[in-house]
mmCIF file of all heavy atoms in Angstrom:
data_model
loop_
_atom_site.group_PDB
_atom_site.id
_atom_site.type_symbol
_atom_site.label_atom_id
_atom_site.label_comp_id
_atom_site.label_asym_id
_atom_site.label_seq_id
_atom_site.Cartn_x
_atom_site.Cartn_y
_atom_site.Cartn_z
ATOM 1 N N GLN Z 3 -29.812 0.760 -2.711
ATOM 2 C CA GLN Z 3 -29.553 1.104 -4.144
ATOM 3 C C GLN Z 3 -30.329 2.344 -4.450
ATOM 4 O O GLN Z 3 -31.455 2.568 -4.047
ATOM 5 C CB GLN Z 3 -29.986 -0.048 -5.079
ATOM 6 C CG GLN Z 3 -29.656 0.220 -6.481
ATOM 7 C CD GLN Z 3 -29.864 -0.966 -7.352
ATOM 8 O OE1 GLN Z 3 -30.596 -1.934 -6.972
ATOM 9 N NE2 GLN Z 3 -29.376 -0.938 -8.562
ATOM 10 N N CYS Z 4 -29.693 3.286 -5.143
ATOM 11 C CA CYS Z 4 -30.275 4.399 -5.678
ATOM 12 C C CYS Z 4 -30.553 4.081 -7.224
ATOM 13 O O CYS Z 4 -29.722 3.387 -7.789
ATOM 14 C CB CYS Z 4 -29.452 5.662 -5.629
ATOM 15 S SG CYS Z 4 -29.239 6.251 -3.862
ATOM 16 N N ARG Z 5 -31.628 4.668 -7.709
ATOM 17 C CA ARG Z 5 -31.896 4.415 -9.129
ATOM 18 C C ARG Z 5 -30.708 5.017 -9.962
ATOM 19 O O ARG Z 5 -30.206 6.085 -9.688
ATOM 20 C CB ARG Z 5 -33.186 5.164 -9.597
ATOM 21 C CG ARG Z 5 -33.617 4.812 -10.971
ATOM 22 C CD ARG Z 5 -35.041 5.229 -11.227
ATOM 23 N NE ARG Z 5 -35.961 4.420 -10.378
ATOM 24 C CZ ARG Z 5 -36.393 3.261 -10.684
ATOM 25 N NH1 ARG Z 5 -35.906 2.627 -11.825
ATOM 26 N NH2 ARG Z 5 -37.230 2.612 -9.902
ATOM 27 N N ASN Z 6 -30.174 4.193 -10.927
ATOM 28 C CA ASN Z 6 -29.071 4.497 -11.723
ATOM 29 C C ASN Z 6 -27.762 4.541 -10.945
ATOM 30 O O ASN Z 6 -26.757 4.966 -11.357
ATOM 31 C CB ASN Z 6 -29.222 5.893 -12.490
ATOM 32 C CG ASN Z 6 -30.401 5.984 -13.308
ATOM 33 O OD1 ASN Z 6 -30.749 4.953 -13.959
ATOM 34 N ND2 ASN Z 6 -31.071 7.050 -13.307
ATOM 35 N N GLY Z 7 -27.818 3.918 -9.714
ATOM 36 C CA GLY Z 7 -26.584 3.821 -8.894
ATOM 37 C C GLY Z 7 -26.237 2.335 -8.681
ATOM 38 O O GLY Z 7 -27.076 1.404 -8.958
ATOM 39 N N PRO Z 8 -25.107 2.103 -8.055
ATOM 40 C CA PRO Z 8 -24.653 0.758 -7.820
ATOM 41 C C PRO Z 8 -25.421 0.128 -6.653
ATOM 42 O O PRO Z 8 -25.853 0.828 -5.789
ATOM 43 C CB PRO Z 8 -23.199 0.858 -7.484
ATOM 44 C CG PRO Z 8 -23.106 2.220 -6.897
ATOM 45 C CD PRO Z 8 -24.087 3.131 -7.639
ATOM 46 N N LEU Z 9 -25.580 -1.181 -6.651
ATOM 47 C CA LEU Z 9 -26.145 -1.886 -5.493
ATOM 48 C C LEU Z 9 -25.027 -2.011 -4.401
ATOM 49 O O LEU Z 9 -23.935 -2.505 -4.759
ATOM 50 C CB LEU Z 9 -26.579 -3.258 -5.916
ATOM 51 C CG LEU Z 9 -27.125 -4.175 -4.783
ATOM 52 C CD1 LEU Z 9 -28.475 -3.631 -4.260
ATOM 53 C CD2 LEU Z 9 -27.356 -5.562 -5.291
ATOM 54 N N ILE Z 10 -25.306 -1.599 -3.158
ATOM 55 C CA ILE Z 10 -24.266 -1.726 -2.129
ATOM 56 C C ILE Z 10 -24.809 -2.712 -1.129
ATOM 57 O O ILE Z 10 -25.904 -2.626 -0.635
ATOM 58 C CB ILE Z 10 -24.089 -0.311 -1.465
ATOM 59 C CG1 ILE Z 10 -23.614 0.650 -2.535
ATOM 60 C CG2 ILE Z 10 -23.018 -0.396 -0.422
ATOM 61 C CD1 ILE Z 10 -23.546 2.175 -2.047
ATOM 62 N N VAL Z 11 -23.975 -3.630 -0.731
ATOM 63 C CA VAL Z 11 -24.251 -4.667 0.224
ATOM 64 C C VAL Z 11 -23.358 -4.623 1.408
ATOM 65 O O VAL Z 11 -22.165 -4.625 1.273
ATOM 66 C CB VAL Z 11 -24.265 -6.093 -0.452
ATOM 67 C CG1 VAL Z 11 -24.551 -7.175 0.592
ATOM 68 C CG2 VAL Z 11 -25.230 -6.205 -1.610
ATOM 69 N N PHE Z 12 -23.933 -4.667 2.641
ATOM 70 C CA PHE Z 12 -23.269 -4.731 3.890
ATOM 71 C C PHE Z 12 -23.766 -6.023 4.534
ATOM 72 O O PHE Z 12 -24.827 -6.526 4.347
ATOM 73 C CB PHE Z 12 -23.583 -3.592 4.810
ATOM 74 C CG PHE Z 12 -23.354 -2.200 4.195
ATOM 75 C CD1 PHE Z 12 -24.318 -1.530 3.449
ATOM 76 C CD2 PHE Z 12 -22.167 -1.503 4.474
ATOM 77 C CE1 PHE Z 12 -24.080 -0.287 2.929
ATOM 78 C CE2 PHE Z 12 -21.925 -0.249 3.900
ATOM 79 C CZ PHE Z 12 -22.858 0.338 3.159
ATOM 80 N N ALA Z 13 -22.852 -6.522 5.364
ATOM 81 C CA ALA Z 13 -23.134 -7.648 6.241
ATOM 82 C C ALA Z 13 -22.456 -7.500 7.556
ATOM 83 O O ALA Z 13 -21.677 -6.685 7.777
ATOM 84 C CB ALA Z 13 -22.688 -9.004 5.533
ATOM 85 N N GLY Z 14 -22.934 -8.281 8.485
ATOM 86 C CA GLY Z 14 -22.308 -8.182 9.826
ATOM 87 C C GLY Z 14 -22.801 -9.143 10.893
ATOM 88 O O GLY Z 14 -23.562 -10.099 10.526
ATOM 89 N N ILE Z 15 -22.293 -8.947 12.057
ATOM 90 C CA ILE Z 15 -22.715 -9.906 13.215
ATOM 91 C C ILE Z 15 -22.830 -8.873 14.428
ATOM 92 O O ILE Z 15 -22.007 -8.030 14.601
ATOM 93 C CB ILE Z 15 -21.654 -10.957 13.430
ATOM 94 C CG1 ILE Z 15 -22.122 -11.913 14.585
ATOM 95 C CG2 ILE Z 15 -20.248 -10.392 13.724
ATOM 96 C CD1 ILE Z 15 -21.318 -13.172 14.667
ATOM 97 N N LYS Z 16 -23.761 -9.102 15.224
ATOM 98 C CA LYS Z 16 -23.929 -8.287 16.406
ATOM 99 C C LYS Z 16 -24.369 -9.238 17.553
ATOM 100 O O LYS Z 16 -24.708 -10.415 17.458
ATOM 101 C CB LYS Z 16 -25.008 -7.186 16.168
ATOM 102 C CG LYS Z 16 -26.485 -7.859 15.959
ATOM 103 C CD LYS Z 16 -27.486 -6.677 15.887
ATOM 104 C CE LYS Z 16 -28.920 -7.201 15.845
ATOM 105 N NZ LYS Z 16 -29.875 -6.071 15.720
ATOM 106 N N ASP Z 17 -24.246 -8.649 18.763
ATOM 107 C CA ASP Z 17 -24.569 -9.266 19.997
ATOM 108 C C ASP Z 17 -23.734 -10.548 20.216
ATOM 109 O O ASP Z 17 -24.235 -11.580 20.772
ATOM 110 C CB ASP Z 17 -26.068 -9.649 20.049
ATOM 111 C CG ASP Z 17 -26.978 -8.467 19.990
ATOM 112 O OD1 ASP Z 17 -26.534 -7.399 20.228
ATOM 113 O OD2 ASP Z 17 -28.160 -8.619 19.637
ATOM 114 N N LEU Z 18 -22.540 -10.475 19.786
ATOM 115 C CA LEU Z 18 -21.557 -11.546 19.913
ATOM 116 C C LEU Z 18 -20.755 -11.316 21.201
ATOM 117 O O LEU Z 18 -20.006 -10.348 21.270
ATOM 118 C CB LEU Z 18 -20.654 -11.685 18.715
ATOM 119 C CG LEU Z 18 -19.552 -12.844 18.815
ATOM 120 C CD1 LEU Z 18 -20.234 -14.121 18.856
ATOM 121 C CD2 LEU Z 18 -18.601 -12.604 17.628
ATOM 122 N N LYS Z 19 -21.011 -12.086 22.269
ATOM 123 C CA LYS Z 19 -20.358 -11.958 23.521
ATOM 124 C C LYS Z 19 -19.103 -12.763 23.621
ATOM 125 O O LYS Z 19 -19.175 -13.999 23.443
ATOM 126 C CB LYS Z 19 -21.340 -12.177 24.684
ATOM 127 C CG LYS Z 19 -22.518 -11.310 24.767
ATOM 128 C CD LYS Z 19 -23.419 -11.651 25.836
ATOM 129 C CE LYS Z 19 -24.647 -10.631 25.895
ATOM 130 N NZ LYS Z 19 -25.539 -10.946 27.024
ATOM 131 N N LEU Z 20 -17.957 -12.156 23.897
ATOM 132 C CA LEU Z 20 -16.693 -12.827 23.918
ATOM 133 C C LEU Z 20 -15.947 -12.446 25.259
ATOM 134 O O LEU Z 20 -16.078 -11.423 25.839
ATOM 135 C CB LEU Z 20 -15.847 -12.269 22.797
ATOM 136 C CG LEU Z 20 -16.377 -12.520 21.317
ATOM 137 C CD1 LEU Z 20 -15.481 -11.815 20.357
ATOM 138 C CD2 LEU Z 20 -16.324 -13.986 21.075
ATOM 139 N N MET Z 21 -15.192 -13.506 25.672
ATOM 140 C CA MET Z 21 -14.466 -13.334 26.919
ATOM 141 C C MET Z 21 -13.195 -14.103 26.903
ATOM 142 O O MET Z 21 -13.168 -15.235 26.361
ATOM 143 C CB MET Z 21 -15.280 -13.766 28.194
ATOM 144 C CG MET Z 21 -14.559 -13.809 29.488
ATOM 145 S SD MET Z 21 -15.356 -14.662 30.793
ATOM 146 C CE MET Z 21 -16.648 -13.502 31.158
ATOM 147 N N LYS Z 22 -12.077 -13.584 27.406
ATOM 148 C CA LYS Z 22 -10.909 -14.257 27.709
ATOM 149 C C LYS Z 22 -10.416 -13.921 29.195
ATOM 150 O O LYS Z 22 -10.546 -12.750 29.452
ATOM 151 C CB LYS Z 22 -9.809 -14.264 26.650
ATOM 152 C CG LYS Z 22 -9.193 -12.802 26.532
ATOM 153 C CD LYS Z 22 -8.142 -12.969 25.381
ATOM 154 C CE LYS Z 22 -7.376 -11.584 25.140
ATOM 155 N NZ LYS Z 22 -6.405 -11.796 24.109
ATOM 156 N N THR Z 23 -10.002 -14.827 29.887
ATOM 157 C CA THR Z 23 -9.831 -14.705 31.302
ATOM 158 C C THR Z 23 -8.407 -14.203 31.672
ATOM 159 O O THR Z 23 -8.102 -13.924 32.834
ATOM 160 C CB THR Z 23 -10.136 -15.960 32.064
ATOM 161 O OG1 THR Z 23 -9.479 -17.081 31.546
ATOM 162 C CG2 THR Z 23 -11.629 -16.264 31.988
ATOM 163 N N THR Z 24 -7.471 -14.214 30.684
ATOM 164 C CA THR Z 24 -6.163 -13.675 30.899
ATOM 165 C C THR Z 24 -5.546 -13.187 29.620
ATOM 166 O O THR Z 24 -6.373 -13.041 28.639
ATOM 167 C CB THR Z 24 -5.280 -14.798 31.577
ATOM 168 O OG1 THR Z 24 -4.052 -14.204 31.939
ATOM 169 C CG2 THR Z 24 -5.014 -15.914 30.588
ATOM 170 N N GLN Z 25 -4.284 -12.876 29.533
ATOM 171 C CA GLN Z 25 -3.708 -12.368 28.437
ATOM 172 C C GLN Z 25 -4.326 -11.079 27.983
ATOM 173 O O GLN Z 25 -4.444 -10.820 26.782
ATOM 174 C CB GLN Z 25 -3.769 -13.411 27.204
ATOM 175 C CG GLN Z 25 -2.799 -14.610 27.450
ATOM 176 C CD GLN Z 25 -1.326 -14.205 27.133
ATOM 177 O OE1 GLN Z 25 -0.750 -13.335 27.779
ATOM 178 N NE2 GLN Z 25 -0.698 -14.857 26.168
ATOM 179 N N SER Z 26 -4.551 -10.239 28.969
ATOM 180 C CA SER Z 26 -5.097 -8.997 28.710
ATOM 181 C C SER Z 26 -4.688 -7.994 29.819
ATOM 182 O O SER Z 26 -4.661 -8.373 30.953
ATOM 183 C CB SER Z 26 -6.662 -8.878 28.622
ATOM 184 O OG SER Z 26 -7.156 -7.563 28.516
ATOM 185 N N GLY Z 27 -4.398 -6.693 29.499
ATOM 186 C CA GLY Z 27 -4.003 -5.722 30.476
ATOM 187 C C GLY Z 27 -4.315 -4.343 29.930
ATOM 188 O O GLY Z 27 -4.740 -4.218 28.812
ATOM 189 N N PHE Z 28 -4.056 -3.370 30.853
ATOM 190 C CA PHE Z 28 -4.128 -1.977 30.434
ATOM 191 C C PHE Z 28 -3.211 -1.248 31.287
ATOM 192 O O PHE Z 28 -3.448 -0.897 32.480
ATOM 193 C CB PHE Z 28 -5.596 -1.519 30.684
ATOM 194 C CG PHE Z 28 -5.911 -0.162 30.078
ATOM 195 C CD1 PHE Z 28 -5.565 0.191 28.884
ATOM 196 C CD2 PHE Z 28 -6.517 0.827 30.858
ATOM 197 C CE1 PHE Z 28 -5.804 1.461 28.239
ATOM 198 C CE2 PHE Z 28 -6.794 2.108 30.399
ATOM 199 C CZ PHE Z 28 -6.385 2.452 29.104
ATOM 200 N N GLU Z 29 -2.166 -0.720 30.632
ATOM 201 C CA GLU Z 29 -1.016 -0.076 31.387
ATOM 202 C C GLU Z 29 -0.525 1.159 30.614
ATOM 203 O O GLU Z 29 -0.734 1.240 29.341
ATOM 204 C CB GLU Z 29 0.157 -1.027 31.683
ATOM 205 C CG GLU Z 29 -0.269 -2.299 32.410
ATOM 206 C CD GLU Z 29 0.943 -3.205 32.566
ATOM 207 O OE1 GLU Z 29 1.060 -4.088 31.645
ATOM 208 O OE2 GLU Z 29 1.650 -3.234 33.619
ATOM 209 N N GLY Z 30 0.208 2.033 31.280
ATOM 210 C CA GLY Z 30 0.845 3.180 30.594
ATOM 211 C C GLY Z 30 -0.123 4.176 30.000
ATOM 212 O O GLY Z 30 0.240 4.989 29.175
ATOM 213 N N PHE Z 31 -1.311 4.282 30.539
ATOM 214 C CA PHE Z 31 -2.308 5.249 30.056
ATOM 215 C C PHE Z 31 -2.095 6.634 30.694
ATOM 216 O O PHE Z 31 -1.435 6.738 31.688
ATOM 217 C CB PHE Z 31 -3.707 4.723 30.275
ATOM 218 C CG PHE Z 31 -3.995 4.243 31.615
ATOM 219 C CD1 PHE Z 31 -4.342 5.102 32.711
ATOM 220 C CD2 PHE Z 31 -4.006 2.867 31.983
ATOM 221 C CE1 PHE Z 31 -4.562 4.643 33.944
ATOM 222 C CE2 PHE Z 31 -4.148 2.373 33.208
ATOM 223 C CZ PHE Z 31 -4.558 3.228 34.219
ATOM 224 N N TYR Z 32 -2.652 7.607 30.055
ATOM 225 C CA TYR Z 32 -2.516 8.973 30.610
ATOM 226 C C TYR Z 32 -3.133 9.109 31.949
ATOM 227 O O TYR Z 32 -4.262 8.659 32.174
ATOM 228 C CB TYR Z 32 -3.177 9.926 29.548
ATOM 229 C CG TYR Z 32 -3.144 11.407 30.000
ATOM 230 C CD1 TYR Z 32 -2.057 12.225 29.775
ATOM 231 C CD2 TYR Z 32 -4.205 11.978 30.740
ATOM 232 C CE1 TYR Z 32 -1.932 13.540 30.169
ATOM 233 C CE2 TYR Z 32 -4.236 13.231 31.097
ATOM 234 C CZ TYR Z 32 -3.108 14.071 30.827
ATOM 235 O OH TYR Z 32 -3.027 15.355 31.206
ATOM 236 N N LYS Z 33 -2.530 9.835 32.833
ATOM 237 C CA LYS Z 33 -3.042 10.018 34.244
ATOM 238 C C LYS Z 33 -2.980 11.527 34.553
ATOM 239 O O LYS Z 33 -2.095 12.122 34.223
ATOM 240 C CB LYS Z 33 -2.259 9.177 35.172
ATOM 241 C CG LYS Z 33 -2.081 7.650 34.895
ATOM 242 C CD LYS Z 33 -1.275 6.905 35.853
ATOM 243 C CE LYS Z 33 -0.990 5.507 35.550
ATOM 244 N NZ LYS Z 33 -0.279 5.358 34.319
ATOM 245 N N ASN Z 34 -3.959 11.921 35.365
ATOM 246 C CA ASN Z 34 -3.946 13.224 36.008
ATOM 247 C C ASN Z 34 -4.636 13.098 37.308
ATOM 248 O O ASN Z 34 -4.899 12.050 37.811
ATOM 249 C CB ASN Z 34 -4.560 14.292 35.114
ATOM 250 C CG ASN Z 34 -6.031 14.078 34.765
ATOM 251 O OD1 ASN Z 34 -6.599 13.192 35.372
ATOM 252 N ND2 ASN Z 34 -6.531 14.813 33.887
ATOM 253 N N GLU Z 35 -5.036 14.279 37.897
ATOM 254 C CA GLU Z 35 -5.574 14.318 39.205
ATOM 255 C C GLU Z 35 -6.982 13.577 39.295
ATOM 256 O O GLU Z 35 -7.467 13.311 40.379
ATOM 257 C CB GLU Z 35 -5.761 15.733 39.744
ATOM 258 C CG GLU Z 35 -6.708 16.609 39.031
ATOM 259 C CD GLU Z 35 -6.110 17.331 37.848
ATOM 260 O OE1 GLU Z 35 -5.089 16.857 37.348
ATOM 261 O OE2 GLU Z 35 -6.718 18.253 37.398
ATOM 262 N N HIS Z 36 -7.639 13.347 38.185
ATOM 263 C CA HIS Z 36 -8.920 12.725 38.114
ATOM 264 C C HIS Z 36 -8.820 11.165 37.949
ATOM 265 O O HIS Z 36 -9.814 10.522 37.879
ATOM 266 C CB HIS Z 36 -9.820 13.264 37.118
ATOM 267 C CG HIS Z 36 -9.959 14.722 37.194
ATOM 268 N ND1 HIS Z 36 -10.569 15.373 38.267
ATOM 269 C CD2 HIS Z 36 -9.605 15.833 36.327
ATOM 270 C CE1 HIS Z 36 -10.595 16.645 38.178
ATOM 271 N NE2 HIS Z 36 -10.047 16.953 37.007
ATOM 272 N N THR Z 37 -7.624 10.637 37.772
ATOM 273 C CA THR Z 37 -7.482 9.220 37.469
ATOM 274 C C THR Z 37 -7.419 8.409 38.712
ATOM 275 O O THR Z 37 -6.592 8.702 39.611
ATOM 276 C CB THR Z 37 -6.127 9.046 36.694
ATOM 277 O OG1 THR Z 37 -6.197 9.801 35.492
ATOM 278 C CG2 THR Z 37 -6.004 7.556 36.331
ATOM 279 N N THR Z 38 -8.330 7.395 38.808
ATOM 280 C CA THR Z 38 -8.341 6.444 39.969
ATOM 281 C C THR Z 38 -8.155 5.068 39.510
ATOM 282 O O THR Z 38 -7.937 4.211 40.355
ATOM 283 C CB THR Z 38 -9.667 6.619 40.714
ATOM 284 O OG1 THR Z 38 -10.740 6.290 39.787
ATOM 285 C CG2 THR Z 38 -9.900 7.948 41.243
ATOM 286 N N LEU Z 39 -8.194 4.811 38.168
ATOM 287 C CA LEU Z 39 -8.050 3.522 37.746
ATOM 288 C C LEU Z 39 -6.539 2.979 37.836
ATOM 289 O O LEU Z 39 -5.698 3.586 37.444
ATOM 290 C CB LEU Z 39 -8.451 3.431 36.166
ATOM 291 C CG LEU Z 39 -8.403 2.038 35.474
ATOM 292 C CD1 LEU Z 39 -9.632 1.232 36.015
ATOM 293 C CD2 LEU Z 39 -8.445 2.166 33.959
ATOM 294 N N PRO Z 40 -6.495 1.812 38.535
ATOM 295 C CA PRO Z 40 -5.143 1.212 38.604
ATOM 296 C C PRO Z 40 -4.705 0.566 37.345
ATOM 297 O O PRO Z 40 -5.553 0.123 36.577
ATOM 298 C CB PRO Z 40 -5.230 0.203 39.722
ATOM 299 C CG PRO Z 40 -6.682 -0.172 39.644
ATOM 300 C CD PRO Z 40 -7.535 0.966 39.187
ATOM 301 N N GLU Z 41 -3.385 0.492 37.108
ATOM 302 C CA GLU Z 41 -2.805 -0.298 35.975
ATOM 303 C C GLU Z 41 -2.968 -1.734 36.284
ATOM 304 O O GLU Z 41 -2.856 -2.204 37.365
ATOM 305 C CB GLU Z 41 -1.355 -0.003 35.722
ATOM 306 C CG GLU Z 41 -1.135 1.491 35.298
ATOM 307 C CD GLU Z 41 0.222 1.709 34.718
ATOM 308 O OE1 GLU Z 41 1.060 0.806 34.791
ATOM 309 O OE2 GLU Z 41 0.504 2.892 34.159
ATOM 310 N N ARG Z 42 -3.279 -2.490 35.154
ATOM 311 C CA ARG Z 42 -3.487 -3.892 35.324
ATOM 312 C C ARG Z 42 -2.691 -4.595 34.138
ATOM 313 O O ARG Z 42 -2.815 -4.246 33.003
ATOM 314 C CB ARG Z 42 -4.910 -4.327 35.243
ATOM 315 C CG ARG Z 42 -5.767 -3.783 36.402
ATOM 316 C CD ARG Z 42 -7.290 -4.146 36.232
ATOM 317 N NE ARG Z 42 -8.063 -3.658 37.328
ATOM 318 C CZ ARG Z 42 -9.414 -3.855 37.373
ATOM 319 N NH1 ARG Z 42 -10.031 -4.404 36.428
ATOM 320 N NH2 ARG Z 42 -10.024 -3.305 38.481
#
């Protein structure tokens, strides 16, 4: 808060580790001579 200004409130969560073992991929991305990552 600034004097004569509004009170601003933020909230959040951090260090939340998440995983799913399927239903995810990465395909159709931009490729050039430096690309070695295979599509999945």
Side-chain angles (χ1 to χ4, degrees):
Q3 186 171 16
C4 291
R5 187 165 296 280
N6 302 321
L9 176 70
I10 301 172
V11 178
F12 303 87
I15 183 170
K16 67 178 186 177
D17 300 342
L18 178 62
K19 295 182 178 180
L20 300 170
M21 173 192 288
K22 63 181 183 180
T23 55
T24 188
Q25 287 286 58
S26 172
F28 188 49
E29 302 175 276
F31 48 85
Y32 178 85
K33 304 178 186 68
N34 63 11
E35 67 272 18
H36 303 298
T37 303
T38 59
L39 183 71
E41 293 196 353
R42 295 178 180 176

